[in-house]
Amino acid sequence: MAGMVIVGAGEAGARAAAVLREEGWDGPVTLVGGEVHPPYERPPLSKAALLAEAEPAATTVLDRERAAALGIELVLGIEAAAIDRAARTVFLADGRTLPYSRLLLATGARPRRLTLPGHDRVLYLRRFDDALALRPLLRPGTRLAIIGGGFIGLELAAAGVTRGCAVTLIEALPRILMRGVPAEIAAVIADRHRAAGIDLRTGIGIDRIEPDAVVLADGNRIAADAVIAGIGAVPETALAEAAGLAIDNGIVVDATLATADPTIFAAGDCAACAHPLYAGRRIRLEAWRNAQDQGALAARNMLGRGEAIAAVPWFWSDQYELTLQIAGLADEGRTMVARDLGDGAQLLFHLAADGRLVAASGIGPLGKIAREIRLAEMLIAQRAAPDPGALASPTVRLKTLLAA
């Protein structure tokens, strides 16, 4: 019997499989993953997995026992090789075939890789096994070079310096966190990393990587016992593209996460979704909560619900004792309003030309910003256009703006 097949056993795929059962689907559900590990969370890989004193275990989100209890077949350690859309069949690398009535592609993303001379010496972090390989390098005295000033690079740098490494972080762009993070917040994070002892180099490229050094474009050499790159991710779209599905920085899906083939959906890091909150702008998000939200939405729509995505994009990163949270898309804003929350915490509100709140960025202790960002997220979802003066004033509670 043809059932529901999910290719990609990460956060989005596992969530979709569970929601299919929660929503009453009693037919076959098969979850296919290329890793041997049951589905696990990726955010701890750059944090707890590197910092734990004891050998870490993956933070599993759907273990074999729960999968069996839900009647979900886990096919792990096997890649999906091809899709026959006419026959509604997925071919696995070991020769097996899986017929489907609906197919979800939750194939995720892979690290973007360097191609400069010496690139074969560079390490990356994406999978649990990568974290296990990196852990022994993070020890006192190791000279660690991190290439890339995005979330992963910065979290790796923080883990390295916490474990006693001498860390240099190199970013070719003029500042860290150029993608999606306001300069004001990026500056706070950069200062915190420098205060921790990290040598932060921005606005400089790399010429080559030698056995014991990274050679910069200006000829300077950064001594390094290990080099780790975190320069972004590339969506895993080869399977979809070979099946004739449209690709545009991800698998092209509409607001319901359906591809042009109504029997095939995509969710998570690999999906480029037309988002109604932003006038149908096609967005691909590499974020933990997005994978959960889209996995659940895809499952419901595989069952014919036809729901459009409504979740506000949300990002989060821990940097030492600081938490960064962003709701919405800051680059949609035309004006910015700041709110001082005290104790070094601040919020930045991003308003569109028509005054609508399209994003909010927060930095500071988790307890100071989490609730405020959540309320801002609700305002964004409401398409609210709050008074800028009220947004700026710490004495005006965001909850009152929400009620208005």
Side-chain angles (χ1 to χ4, degrees):
M1 173 185 175
M4 303 295 193
V5 174
I6 301 167
V7 176
E11 192 84 44
R15 181 70 179 136
V19 171
L20 284 170
R21 292 301 189 218
E22 292 169 9
E23 294 291 330
W25 171 257
D26 60 3
V29 176
T30 305
L31 181 59
V32 180
E35 293 186 68
V36 297
H37 306 289
Y40 59 87
E41 292 187 347
R42 296 191 189 277
L45 299 186
S46 57
K47 306 176 186 75
L50 297 179
L51 293 172
E53 291 301 321
E55 190 76 1
T59 307
T60 304
V61 295
L62 181 66
D63 60 26
R64 296 179 188 276
E65 291 75 17
R66 182 163 179 255
L70 291 173
I72 297 168
E73 182 183 3
L74 291 180
V75 180
L76 301 176
I78 304 293
E79 300 283 356
I83 301 166
D84 185 334
R85 289 168 54 192
R88 295 191 183 181
T89 300
V90 174
F91 295 87
L92 302 183
D94 64 358
R96 278 183 283 176
T97 59
L98 298 174
Y100 64 84
S101 58
R102 295 290 184 272
L103 170 64
L104 173 62
L105 299 176
T107 45
R110 65 184 184 277
R112 188 180 303 279
R113 294 185 177 268
L114 293 165
T115 57
L116 47 78
H119 66 85
D120 54 318
R121 300 185 177 94
V122 177
L123 302 170
Y124 299 87
L125 176 62
R126 177 68 186 181
R127 299 184 170 194
F128 180 65
D129 291 343
D130 297 332
L132 293 182
L134 291 176
R135 272 178 58 84
L137 301 175
L138 304 188
R139 61 181 185 272
T142 295
R143 298 170 301 176
L144 187 63
I146 308 289
I147 300 173
F151 290 126
I152 292 296
L154 292 166
E155 289 173 5
L156 283 166
V161 78
T162 300
R163 293 288 294 266
C165 300
V167 180
T168 302
L169 187 142
I170 306 155
E171 169 56 63
L173 294 174
R175 66 168 172 89
I176 62 170
L177 298 172
M178 284 288 289
R179 180 183 163 200
V181 178
E184 294 81 357
I185 287 180
V188 172
I189 294 173
D191 288 345
R192 182 63 184 86
H193 279 274
R194 289 191 174 103
I198 290 172
D199 182 1
L200 202 58
R201 310 280 186 102
T202 58
I204 185 68
I206 296 171
D207 180 71
R208 64 189 182 277
I209 296 166
E210 296 181 346
D212 61 350
V214 175
V215 182
L216 303 180
D218 61 7
N220 284 319
R221 299 175 81 256
I222 306 296
D225 302 307
V227 181
I228 311 173
I231 55 171
V234 180
E236 290 282 13
T237 60
L239 189 66
E241 188 170 9
L245 298 173
I247 307 297
D248 181 7
N249 184 34
I251 303 168
V252 171
V253 293
D254 64 16
T256 71
L257 304 182
T259 68
D261 183 328
T263 68
I264 302 179
F265 295 76
D269 291 8
C270 68
C273 172
H275 204 299
L277 263 179
Y278 299 99
R281 172 180 167 182
R282 195 163 298 287
I283 300 168
R284 187 178 68 82
L285 298 172
E286 298 163 12
W288 169 79
R289 198 170 83 182
N290 177 69
Q292 286 198 327
D293 290 341
Q294 289 195 357
L297 179 65
R300 295 194 296 271
N301 289 339
M302 290 166 78
L303 297 174
R305 304 292 170 78
E307 298 176 23
I309 190 166
V312 176
W314 180 84
F315 308 85
W316 139 80
S317 177
D318 287 332
Q319 307 283 331
Y320 308 98
E321 76 286 355
L322 299 176
T323 293
L324 163 68
Q325 291 191 10
I326 300 177
L329 302 177
D331 65 358
E332 288 278 327
R334 295 296 175 266
T335 59
M336 188 173 68
V337 177
R339 173 184 285 222
D340 186 350
L341 298 178
D343 297 329
Q346 62 174 300
L347 287 180
L348 300 177
F349 298 98
H350 309 274
L351 305 174
D354 62 359
R356 183 166 61 95
L357 183 64
V358 291
S361 312
I363 185 72
L366 177 63
K368 295 290 290 187
I369 67 165
R371 181 175 180 275
E372 303 302 301
I373 288 289
R374 176 59 183 147
L375 290 169
E377 183 182 342
M378 295 166 72
L379 286 167
I380 295 166
Q382 285 187 353
R383 302 174 185 265
D387 173 61
L391 291 176
S393 174
T395 63
V396 178
R397 298 171 60 198
L398 292 183
K399 192 171 184 178
T400 64
L401 302 181
L402 189 65

